């Protein structure tokens, strides 16, 4: 990464948190040693053996295991009896822990004595005459460590691994090195008295340089600090704990993102509505069953992209890809709650539009995604932000804000983004209906409800002259299984049910037409800048290219062409490991079980895998897929 200074600063940020922790731990261990004075406990008997120590260590190991078992089983039973109600759980859990601990303390002394007697007998039986005891304190400590490691490993391997899925443990490398260094220092301290004189000053100086680098980076190099946050999980943790990442990000000037206006271009108002979890084929724009009069009207007078694909099948991967303009596996960040906290080096389209002179506003469903609490950065660039979980209430607030805004003169064009969640929660009220038909109806009702939000949102523009009307874009972040391919919800596969989403654009300059060319919602960021009258961003800014020129008719469509890419990324609720590329009519999906190839137009539900037929397009799709998979390994940052 960023040269020697970057390494020093990263080490410094880590040290800022690690040093107090390690020093505290050392003090604790030394205190424990001093308080208990193990050598004076009379644990060592004739012959250097310590069967009583062995007995107590065995008791501690067994007691810990027993307490773990009691807590695990107890929590499980409590959760069944109380249906996970927080209050009774919070009351009963400590009671359970105390009762379990008391029971273990009750049996611990007899148990320790019994074990000690067993060890003593074992020692007498097997020790050669005149030799030292077999169970010296040193051997005992080593044996205990080995048993604990083996127990931890088996617990992980047999009990936890399958439930938690693969964990990325690379973040533990640095603490492991720090602990080893500490151990080394302790051993050297004891074994090599001369080292004591230089060890203090040397380690003090190293810590000083590291910490000074970190503070210097924080004060003078915000971009480097952001890079360290992005690339170093633990140093990043320290940055979050001690500094305000959002404040550091604000030191990066908007001017850096300023898009270049096309001479003479108009800068129309733009309304972007993303409705969570919308399958295109259920909406009237795609001849579906849901009653959505507003969307239907927009589709009739605007452009319908018949083959638009979401970048992923879960909000936290799709939305960032859409508003950053990079493929989902090239968007960096960390999962917080259900959202993605995007790497602060990424620039969002709202920031670009704002830097280009737009007034920006966001009306968003969810605090966990767009609010301050999670520091996701997804609302960056939105000057005016309102959060309201109820979609209809949110749309009414947007309406009120727009009406208020219309009363005052304003010279800036508007970019307004509204994200509503109702279809995502279609099953919440009704549970998952067992019947396929009921399921689809329940889902469709949430689409109709979302359409009524569009009515509210667009009402303030009812009487504006057509050429002054906003460009309205309606789309979604992913679809929903609804039983297709055995999946009721989303986040599980990349078939059309979860990735084929609506994309409807209407407004001044937008043609009334249907576009058969394949497009990706990763193209959204570039398209928004295009619609807003800005020149294409420099190469490598976006992975996507604008589809706005198709909507305006500046470019003729290639009905059999176009491309899209989607990826599932492993994290808290997504198994990951699946990628898909679409070229024109064909879609190639790479799953852990193998490759699947489908013809979208004749086989929309993806039933007949053409992979063994190996049609001529296969090699092209495969090459494109590999290209995307390779690109995902390269850093998206310059
Ligand atoms: Zn979603």
């Amino acid at each position: 990464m960023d040269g020697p200074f970057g390494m020093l600063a990263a080490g410094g940020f880590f040290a800022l948190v690690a040093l107090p922790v390690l020093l505290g731990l050392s003090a604790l261990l030394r205190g424990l040693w001093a308080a208990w004075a193990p050598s004076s406990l009379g644990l060592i008997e004739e012959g250097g053996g310590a069967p009583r120590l062995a007995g107590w260590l065995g008791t501690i190991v067994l007691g810990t295991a027993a307490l773990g078992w009691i807590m695990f089983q107890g929590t499980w039973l409590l959760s069944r009896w109380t249906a996970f109600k927080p209050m009774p759980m919070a009351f009963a859990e400590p009671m359970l822990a105390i009762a379990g601990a008391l029971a273990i303390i009750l049996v611990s002394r007899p148990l320790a004595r019994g074990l000690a007697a067993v060890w003593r007998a074992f020692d007498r039986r097997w020790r050669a005459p005149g030799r030292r005891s077999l169970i010296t304190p040193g051997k005992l400590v080593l044996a205990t460590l080995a048993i604990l490691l083996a127990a931890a490993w088996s617990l992980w391997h047999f009990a936890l691994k399958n439930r938690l899925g693969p964990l990325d443990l690379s973040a533990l490398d640095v603490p492991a090195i720090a602990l080893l260094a500490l151990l080394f220092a302790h051993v050297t301290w004891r074994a090599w008295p001369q080292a004591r004189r230089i060890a203090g000053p040397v380690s003090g100086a190293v810590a000083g340089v590291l910490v000074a680098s970190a503070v210097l980076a924080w004060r003078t190099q915000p971009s480097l600090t952001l890079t360290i946050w992005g690339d170093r999980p633990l140093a990043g943790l320290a940055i979050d704990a001690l500094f305000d990442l959002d404040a550091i990000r604000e030191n990066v000037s908007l001017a850096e993102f300023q898009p270049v206006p096309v001479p003479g271009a108009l800068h129309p108002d733009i309304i972007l509505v993303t409705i969570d979890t919308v399958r295109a084929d259920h909406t009237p724009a795609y001849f579906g069953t849901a009653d959505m009069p507003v969307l239907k009207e927009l589709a009739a007078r605007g452009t319908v992209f018949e083959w638009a694909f979401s970048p992923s099948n879960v909000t936290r991967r799709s939305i960032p890809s859409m508003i950053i303009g990079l493929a989902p596996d090239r968007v960096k960040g960390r999962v917080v709650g259900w959202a993605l906290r995007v790497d602060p080096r990424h620039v969002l389209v709202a920031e670009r539009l704002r830097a280009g002179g737009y007034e920006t506003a966001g009306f968003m469903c969810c605090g966990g995604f767009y609010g301050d609490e999670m520091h996701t950065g997804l609302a960056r660039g939105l000057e005016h932000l309102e959060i309201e979980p109820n979609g209809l209430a949110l749309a009414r607030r947007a309406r009120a804000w727009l009406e208020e805004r219309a009363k005052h003169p304003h010279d800036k064009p508007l970019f307004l983004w509204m994200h509503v969640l109702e279809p995502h929660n279609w099953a919440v009220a009704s549970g998952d209906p067992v019947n396929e038909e009921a399921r689809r109806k329940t889902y469709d009702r949430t689409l109709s409800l979302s359409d009524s939000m569009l009515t509210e949102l667009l009402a303030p523009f009812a009487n504006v002259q057509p050429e002054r009307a906003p460009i309205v874009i309606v789309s979604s972040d992913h679809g929903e299984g609804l039983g297709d391919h055995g999946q009721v919800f989303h986040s599980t596969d990349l078939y059309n049910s979860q990735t084929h989403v609506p994309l409807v654009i209407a407004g001044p300059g937008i043609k009334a037409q249907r576009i058969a060319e394949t497009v990706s919602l990763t193209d959204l960021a570039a398209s928004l800048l295009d619609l807003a009258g800005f020149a294409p961003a420099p190469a490598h800014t976006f992975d996507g290219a604008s589809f706005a020129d198709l909507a305006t008719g500046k470019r003729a469509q290639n009905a059999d062409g176009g491309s899209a890419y989607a990826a599932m990324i492993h994290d808290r609720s997504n198994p990951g490991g699946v990628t898909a590329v679409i070229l024109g009519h064909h879609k190639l999906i790479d799953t852990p079980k193998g490759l699947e190839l489908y013809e979208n137009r004749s086989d929309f539900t993806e039933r007949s895998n053409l992979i063994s037929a190996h049609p001529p397009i296969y090699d092209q799709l495969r090459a494109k897929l590999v290209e995307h998979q390779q690109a995902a390994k390269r850093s998206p940052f310059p």
Side-chain angles (χ1 to χ4, degrees):
M1 48 177 261
D2 297 75
F5 181 67
M7 302 283 281
L8 280 179
F13 282 120
F14 175 63
L16 277 171
V17 164
L19 279 179
V21 170
L22 289 176
L23 287 174
L25 219 59
S26 301
L28 207 63
L29 280 172
R30 281 174 174 272
L32 210 63
W33 198 265
W36 276 84
S39 49
S40 68
L41 281 176
L43 289 169
I44 299 167
E45 299 175 2
E46 45 85 32
R52 281 175 65 202
L53 179 63
W56 275 109
L57 284 175
T59 304
I60 289 169
V61 169
L62 289 174
T64 312
L67 191 62
W69 183 82
I70 290 170
M71 291 309 294
F72 183 83
Q73 293 295 335
T75 306
W76 190 74
L77 284 175
L78 282 173
S79 67
R80 278 186 38 156
W81 292 336
T82 65
F84 256 114
K85 288 201 185 72
M87 277 308 284
M89 289 286 289
F91 177 75
E93 282 267 280
M95 294 297 143
L96 184 69
I98 292 168
L102 283 177
I104 290 163
I105 290 168
L106 178 76
V107 298
S108 62
R109 197 168 161 87
L111 180 66
R113 281 187 177 169
L115 285 175
V118 172
W119 280 116
R120 207 170 282 124
F122 163 85
D123 194 27
R124 282 207 200 99
R125 169 73 184 77
W126 293 102
R127 193 200 316 181
R131 298 295 298 271
R132 268 172 67 84
S133 167
L134 293 171
I135 38 177
T136 58
K139 281 183 197 158
L140 282 175
V141 169
L142 283 179
T144 312
L145 276 178
I147 290 168
L148 285 179
L149 280 176
W153 183 85
S154 352
L155 187 70
W156 164 249
H157 194 78
F158 296 111
L160 296 176
K161 199 172 150 191
N162 295 332
R163 297 178 195 201
L164 297 180
L167 278 187
D168 182 12
L169 295 178
S170 58
L172 297 179
D173 292 351
V174 182
I177 293 172
L179 276 174
L180 282 177
L182 197 72
L183 201 66
F184 179 75
H186 271 274
V187 171
T188 322
W189 191 270
R190 292 177 65 104
W192 189 27
Q194 294 95 316
R196 294 181 199 184
R197 248 174 291 137
I198 49 167
V202 167
S203 47
V206 170
V209 168
L210 289 176
V211 170
S213 312
V215 172
L216 195 67
W218 165 58
R219 295 301 303 172
T220 63
Q221 298 198 37
S223 300
L224 176 67
T225 309
L226 300 180
T227 304
I228 292 170
W229 185 89
D231 293 347
R232 306 274 160 152
L234 285 161
L237 212 68
I239 293 174
D240 273 338
L242 302 168
F243 307 101
D244 182 350
L245 195 71
D246 297 333
I248 298 172
R249 176 56 157 74
E250 272 171 27
N251 291 340
V252 181
S253 159
L254 266 186
E256 284 186 31
F257 325 132
Q258 199 168 351
V260 181
V262 173
L266 297 171
H267 302 292
D269 289 346
I270 297 175
I271 309 280
L272 169 66
V273 182
T274 45
I275 308 172
D276 213 290
T277 321
V278 182
R279 278 176 70 143
D281 63 348
H282 273 242
T283 70
Y286 299 79
F287 314 111
T289 42
D291 182 29
M292 302 180 79
V294 181
L295 187 68
K296 194 173 179 180
E297 185 267 336
L298 290 170
R301 66 179 170 90
T303 296
V304 176
F305 288 86
E306 293 182 318
W307 297 99
F309 291 91
S310 61
S312 189
N313 56 5
V314 62
T315 313
R316 70 175 160 278
R317 300 296 174 182
S318 282
I319 288 286
S321 172
M322 289 158 71
I323 60 173
I324 291 168
L326 293 174
D329 41 17
R330 301 209 337 119
V331 172
K332 303 298 167 200
R334 306 202 189 127
V335 173
V336 287
W338 291 102
L340 185 76
R341 189 175 175 198
V342 292
D343 191 305
R345 287 170 286 174
H346 287 305
V347 182
L348 277 50
V349 71
E351 294 182 279
R352 296 186 193 277
L353 289 169
R354 187 179 173 187
Y358 266 75
E359 180 180 358
T360 55
F363 292 83
M364 319 306 276
C365 63
C366 328
F369 275 75
Y370 306 100
D372 286 337
E373 56 260 52
M374 292 298 198
H375 300 274
T376 58
L378 292 170
R380 216 175 269 142
L382 297 170
E383 297 168 79
H384 180 84
L385 178 65
E386 293 194 28
I387 291 171
E388 161 64 55
N390 180 311
L392 209 50
L394 180 70
R396 289 195 180 120
R397 279 167 69 167
R399 176 180 183 167
W401 183 81
L402 283 167
E403 284 168 349
E404 187 59 33
R405 180 180 183 267
K407 285 182 196 157
H408 310 286
H410 45 262
D411 47 4
K412 284 182 168 184
L414 173 70
F415 169 66
L416 185 150
W417 173 24
M418 181 168 90
H419 185 89
V420 296
L421 197 63
E422 271 67 8
H424 183 278
N425 300 332
W426 65 272
V428 168
S430 53
D432 173 27
V434 275
N435 175 321
E436 191 110 331
E437 180 64 19
R439 188 181 283 159
R440 282 166 195 264
K441 276 192 180 149
T442 310
Y443 175 71
D444 282 2
R445 273 198 289 278
T446 63
L447 297 187
S448 305
L449 178 62
S450 307
D451 198 73
S452 62
M453 299 163 199
L454 291 176
T455 312
E456 290 290 331
L457 177 68
L458 299 179
F461 302 103
N463 296 319
V464 296
Q465 301 152 321
E467 67 277 8
R468 304 254 334 176
I471 292 178
V472 179
I473 306 167
V474 180
S475 190
S476 182
D477 57 345
H478 53 78
E480 188 82 324
L482 299 178
D484 291 359
H485 295 271
Q487 301 299 321
V488 177
F489 303 109
H490 56 271
S491 193
T492 49
D493 63 49
L494 291 179
Y495 295 116
N496 288 336
S497 43
Q498 294 189 28
T499 56
H500 181 236
V501 289
L503 175 59
V504 175
I505 309 182
I510 306 296
K511 287 175 71 173
Q513 59 180 343
R514 297 185 75 84
I515 294 288
E517 183 173 322
T518 294
V519 297
S520 163
L521 264 301
T522 299
D523 302 335
L524 180 69
S527 308
L528 285 168
L529 285 184
D530 192 357
L531 288 170
F534 297 104
H540 310 302
T541 307
F542 299 125
D543 287 337
S546 171
F547 49 64
D549 51 2
L550 290 170
T552 54
K554 280 187 197 129
R555 181 166 72 83
Q557 67 161 319
N558 173 3
D560 301 320
S563 73
Y565 171 72
M568 283 166 62
I569 294 142
H570 171 74
D571 59 28
R572 63 170 295 177
S573 72
N574 196 302
V578 183
T579 48
V581 70
I582 302 113
L583 281 182
H585 298 200
H586 289 86
K587 178 168 173 187
L588 182 68
I589 311 178
D590 187 0
T591 79
K593 287 186 204 146
L595 290 169
E596 298 173 25
L597 175 62
Y598 300 103
E599 213 281 350
N600 265 330
R601 317 280 155 109
S602 61
D603 180 24
F604 181 77
T605 51
E606 295 154 301
R607 299 277 157 206
S608 51
N609 186 354
L610 305 175
I611 200 78
S612 39
H614 199 107
I617 187 142
Y618 169 79
D619 294 320
Q620 250 174 293
L621 281 156
R622 185 92 187 91
K624 194 84 182 163
L625 191 67
V626 170
E627 193 184 297
H628 277 291
Q629 289 169 344
Q630 294 297 330
K633 293 178 188 147
R634 289 195 301 272
S635 168
F637 307 109

